[in-house]
Every structure is written in structure tokens, then in C-alpha cells.
Amino acid sequence: MSFDPEKALRREGAAAASGYVLAPLLRLYIAEGRFPRNVPIRLEGGDPDRAPNDWFWPSTHPTMPERKLYLYLTQPEKWEPEPWSYEGRMSVTVGSIEHSITQFALDDLGILQRPTGICPACLREYGPEIGQCSEPGAVDPVLKRRGHLDGAIITPQLGLTGLDIKTINHFAAAKIPDGPTSEAALMWLKTKHPYYYGQMQEYMAISGLRLMVMLFLGMGFPWVIKEIHVAYDEAYVTALEAKYRRVRAAVASGATPEPCCGVRSPEAASCAATGCTIRIV
């Protein structure tokens, strides 16, 4: 399939006029073959699940019920997520490759801001080498929550914002509504992937940023790239932080929150909190 620069520029120009910021640049960058030869791609490997460590993480906890959060904090030795399948691990691996390609392109374009110094989330030195931290971290020591964003970016259209990269089944990617700020796209995110919406709000709450640019990359032909801009939702964050405070207070008092699912329910059967009395019954 040959590259037609005029056709590509027309298409991406129309996308930029519709409010897209990163997707047009990425498509042009890749289509033009601007990658240098022999670019190294780093795969972290290992277990994608993070063992309980008394911290709340944006990628995991914003939509988790209070009882489950309580057990995560008080019974870490009984926290057993369901084992990963081949399909799941392969998706994570391929997703890591697409993440690296996107971050490299945005860095090469001068959009991605590389942090320096010591990461506040993992206390490693920032840098590209093995053992160093390559993504900006953020910490809230009061509620004990921390995490790493996929990046911080600066663009003429939006200024300084956070970046989040998601890989998704290419059929599902094609169904994401058009328009990065459209109500339809935001509603799709809230209803189809509420945990992603919560993750974006958590990142903004602990980093101080007030806008996240989400890129959804289809894993397969025609390699769809969709973009959604998620603004800070003060009401959501206020409710989330209140939930975390209640959980911390429950841990301090030893008062287990009310059950969040029913006996013999599918939720109970797959719950990682294996010490929960609802699951044991």
C-alpha cells in the first residue's frame, strides 16, 4: 500500500480541524517512515499485577468498592487476582510495543516532555536505561495514592496536559465516537470503560494537571487511532477522595465495610479478596 502524501495531509488536516491533536501527527509520522533504523523497544515483562502495598493506584482502585479496598489493605496475603490467560498476556505485550512506538514518536516530534531527577512515585532516577524510570510519577502522601502517567505533553493547542495510551481491540477502536471533545466520545468512555475515566481523574488529582489526552490504539489492521480529551471532574474527584478517606478510617477502626456483592455471585467468585466472608460462604 503506497503512501500518498497529499491524500494523507488532506485527511489529517480535516482531523486537526475537528480538534484532534496527537492522532494526525502520529499517523503522518508513521506513514512517512520517520522512524530511524534499529530503534530499541523495551518490554518490562514479569507479572502485570501489582502486589498490595498499602497504596492506592490510579490504574486499579478508583472504581473499586469500599469493602474490597478495605480487604486489599488489611489482608494483602489473601489478595489473589485471577491468573492471566495467554490472550491477556499477549495483549499486554503487544500493547507495550505500541506504547513504546507512540512515546518514541511524540518524543521525536518534541511533544513528549521527559522528566528529570528522581521519580516521586517509585523513587528511581528518571532516564531511558534499564532500572531507571521513564514515565512521570505523581504522589499524594495524605491519602497514600501514587502512579505513573504515560507522559506529559506540551502542544500549541492544549498547552501542558497529561498523556494516556490505551491499546484496544481494533473492532472496538473503530466504534469509538468521533470528536475528541464530543459528548458521545466522553459518554462512551464513562459507560464502556468507567475504570479508565476514574484513572484519568485520579491522575489529574495527584499530578495537578487538568486535562488528559487519551490515545486509543487499535491492535490490528487498519490500526485505528482515536483520541479523547478528558477534563478534570471536580465532583468525581471529591467523591473518590471521600471514599478513600472512609476506607482509611475503616482500616484504623477495624470496621469492615458492608458487602459489595452477593453470596455465590459471579463477582464473588472472581474477587481477588479471597479472605472475604462473602466469598468463603
Side-chain angles (χ1 to χ4, degrees):
M1 187 178 296
S2 60
F3 175 60
D4 184 336
E6 291 187 6
K7 181 179 179 181
L9 285 171
R10 285 196 302 270
R11 182 184 73 170
E12 305 309 343
S18 298
Y20 290 94
V21 175
L22 299 184
L25 294 174
L26 278 173
R27 282 192 291 260
L28 285 172
Y29 183 93
I30 294 171
E32 291 172 358
R34 293 180 60 176
F35 268 99
R37 292 186 179 275
N38 301 317
V39 174
I41 298 294
R42 191 171 80 183
L43 296 176
E44 295 293 344
D47 191 345
D49 291 319
R50 183 185 294 110
N53 58 7
D54 199 42
W55 286 83
F56 293 140
W57 296 85
S59 59
T60 309
H61 297 127
T63 56
M64 192 174 285
E66 291 181 33
R67 183 184 180 95
K68 195 170 180 178
L69 288 170
Y70 174 88
L71 295 170
Y72 162 83
L73 294 174
T74 59
Q75 298 182 5
E77 75 284 357
K78 296 180 180 179
W79 191 263
E80 299 178 11
E82 288 190 302
W84 283 75
S85 65
Y86 157 77
E87 293 82 0
R89 285 189 181 274
M90 180 58 77
S91 295
V92 169
T93 302
V94 174
S96 296
I97 296 172
E98 289 198 72
H99 271 68
S100 295
I101 290 171
T102 301
Q103 289 171 324
F104 181 92
L106 294 177
D107 189 17
D108 196 30
L109 289 167
I111 294 171
L112 187 69
Q113 307 302 299
R114 289 294 186 185
T116 58
I118 302 298
C119 173
C122 64
L123 302 180
R124 293 180 296 167
E125 183 180 4
Y126 284 122
E129 304 301 325
I130 295 175
Q132 293 182 317
C133 180
S134 60
E135 297 177 333
V139 172
D140 169 17
V142 176
L143 291 176
K144 294 199 71 175
R145 47 187 179 159
R146 61 183 178 181
H148 293 87
L149 290 77
D150 287 332
I153 57 175
I154 295 179
T155 60
Q157 302 93 324
L158 302 175
L160 176 63
T161 68
L163 168 68
D164 193 80
I165 305 167
K166 302 295 185 193
T167 47
I168 188 171
N169 176 284
H170 60 286
F171 293 113
K175 295 179 181 178
I176 299 175
D178 289 328
T181 61
S182 71
E183 186 64 32
L186 190 61
M187 188 58 60
W188 174 88
L189 181 65
K190 289 181 175 180
T191 56
K192 295 292 186 181
H193 300 281
Y195 36 88
Y196 288 164
Y197 184 78
Q199 182 183 10
M200 298 306 102
Q201 297 305 325
E202 185 85 295
Y203 280 142
M204 288 186 278
I206 63 177
S207 70
L209 296 169
R210 289 299 177 259
L211 186 69
M212 294 291 299
V213 176
M214 299 188 72
L215 286 174
F216 287 87
L217 312 177
M219 292 196 293
F221 186 85
W223 305 103
V224 172
I225 302 178
K226 289 294 184 79
E227 183 176 323
I228 300 178
H229 300 171
V230 183
Y232 182 70
D233 185 336
E234 185 173 1
Y236 186 101
V237 171
T238 298
L240 174 61
E241 292 177 345
K243 178 178 74 172
Y244 285 161
R245 289 190 183 94
R246 289 193 298 270
V247 172
R248 294 289 183 190
V251 171
S253 67
T256 306
E258 291 296 314
C260 51
C261 63
V263 175
R264 300 187 185 87
S265 65
E267 293 82 6
S270 61
C271 184
T274 62
C276 180
T277 53
I278 298 300
R279 179 167 182 177
I280 293 172
V281 171

